[in-house]
Amino acid sequence: MARSTHESSFSFSKRHFQWIIGKGGVGEERKHADGDGEQEFLPFSHSSSRVCDDEAAAAAAAPPAARKRGAFSAAVAVSRFRSVLTAAIAGRRRPAGLGPRVTGTLFGHRRGHVHFAFQVDSRSCPALLLELATPTSTLVREMASGLVRIALECERRGSGGGGRKAAGKLVEEPLWRAYCNGKKCGYAVRRQCGPADWRVLRAVQPVSMGAGVLPGDGGPEGEMMYMRARFERVVGSKDSEAFYMMNPDSNGGPELSIYLLRV
């Protein structure tokens, strides 16, 4: 399958996760380096200066009504440009609906809790960001065994009148019971993407698939560890969804699946 020139990938393996656990060093992620484009500058000459002076003189000699119309048109153009720019910025911050292929990022401090973020692409706001009670180091050890199944269950929320509300989007449920390989591991909470989360997602944005440790992010809770991959999203019904990690390495690579269930 052809890949974009802005993405690089490599296959996961058990040895890779075992190396991260044992060494705690930077993982073998691959990133792309943007080349520095050369900029071309046009020389400023006396002739161009005279042209500008002539245009300024012509504008000053124009009737007041014409000058007002020109100023009004310029103000309208600036206002439209600001509106378009504001809408574009707001659109990047607004979570987009998930499709059949998503970018999944698992991250967390070594002695902290693990987070899952699912994005339509690497630049978009996460449509789903979950914080699990499971320690990051525990989940990494589970993944070193090669098989991880995470099931998240939430309850239907009833209305105050004794009936039941129409079920909303499954990814918008706020609280989940979490199970890892059949064992209960506390709860998972849906979160808004804050500045600290954005810093991590921006740092790993050039990575299409990989796992490792972010440099220079050590603290009381240890280094910031991450794993990033493409996931296939399968919708069973309005009450069930599944995310399967797409691993090109079929020989001994870890398998990760996340199930969302509303019961």
Side-chain angles (χ1 to χ4, degrees):
M1 181 182 296
R3 294 185 179 271
S4 170
T5 57
H6 293 283
E7 294 186 350
S8 60
S9 64
F10 78 107
S11 300
F12 293 111
S13 65
K14 295 180 184 178
R15 289 187 303 169
H16 182 75
F17 285 93
Q18 292 168 352
W19 183 85
I20 293 175
I21 296 171
K23 299 296 184 181
V26 178
E28 299 178 359
E29 74 279 10
R30 297 181 181 176
K31 301 183 179 180
H32 78 273
D34 296 331
D36 296 332
E38 297 182 356
Q39 296 181 352
E40 182 180 357
F41 297 92
L42 297 178
F44 181 82
S45 63
H46 294 289
S47 60
S48 60
S49 177
R50 287 196 297 272
V51 171
C52 295
D53 293 340
D54 294 341
E55 291 178 352
R67 289 201 299 270
K68 288 182 179 180
R69 286 195 299 270
F72 178 75
S73 300
V76 170
V78 171
S79 177
R80 289 177 178 174
F81 176 75
R82 288 177 177 173
S83 298
V84 172
L85 184 61
T86 302
I89 295 175
R92 288 190 60 180
R93 289 288 184 178
R94 186 184 305 115
L98 293 174
R101 300 287 188 274
V102 298
T103 298
T105 308
L106 179 157
F107 63 94
H109 290 282
R110 186 180 293 271
R111 290 186 292 275
H113 294 165
V114 67
H115 299 70
F116 278 107
F118 288 106
Q119 303 165 273
V120 176
D121 56 64
S122 60
R123 297 177 179 270
S124 62
C125 181
L128 177 62
L129 175 61
L130 296 171
E131 179 179 358
L132 279 68
T134 305
T136 306
S137 57
T138 300
L139 185 59
V140 171
R141 283 196 299 268
E142 290 285 342
M143 295 197 68
S145 67
L147 179 64
V148 175
R149 298 287 186 267
I150 296 177
L152 303 176
E153 295 182 354
C154 67
E155 295 182 355
R156 298 178 186 272
R157 290 173 288 174
S159 61
R164 291 191 179 276
K165 292 182 180 179
K169 292 183 178 180
L170 187 59
V171 295
E172 295 178 354
E173 293 290 343
L175 184 64
W176 307 78
R177 291 186 300 270
Y179 301 86
C180 182
N181 287 344
K183 297 179 292 185
K184 188 172 182 180
C185 54
Y187 291 87
V189 180
R190 182 175 180 267
R191 291 182 38 184
Q192 297 295 324
C193 188
D197 304 314
W198 270 115
R199 282 195 296 270
V200 176
L201 294 177
R202 289 195 187 100
V204 300
Q205 181 176 315
V207 181
S208 60
M209 181 175 289
V213 177
L214 293 182
D217 200 6
E221 295 184 331
E223 307 93 341
M224 176 64 73
M225 307 175 69
Y226 77 91
M227 190 203 75
R228 191 170 177 85
R230 293 288 290 174
F231 283 76
E232 180 181 3
R233 174 174 173 253
V234 178
V235 179
S237 67
K238 64 179 181 180
D239 297 323
S240 65
E241 295 186 18
F243 297 86
Y244 302 98
M245 188 176 73
M246 301 168 63
N247 188 359
D249 182 10
S250 58
N251 298 320
E255 297 182 11
L256 173 62
S257 301
I258 300 173
Y259 304 91
L260 306 181
L261 303 171
R262 183 159 44 198
V263 297

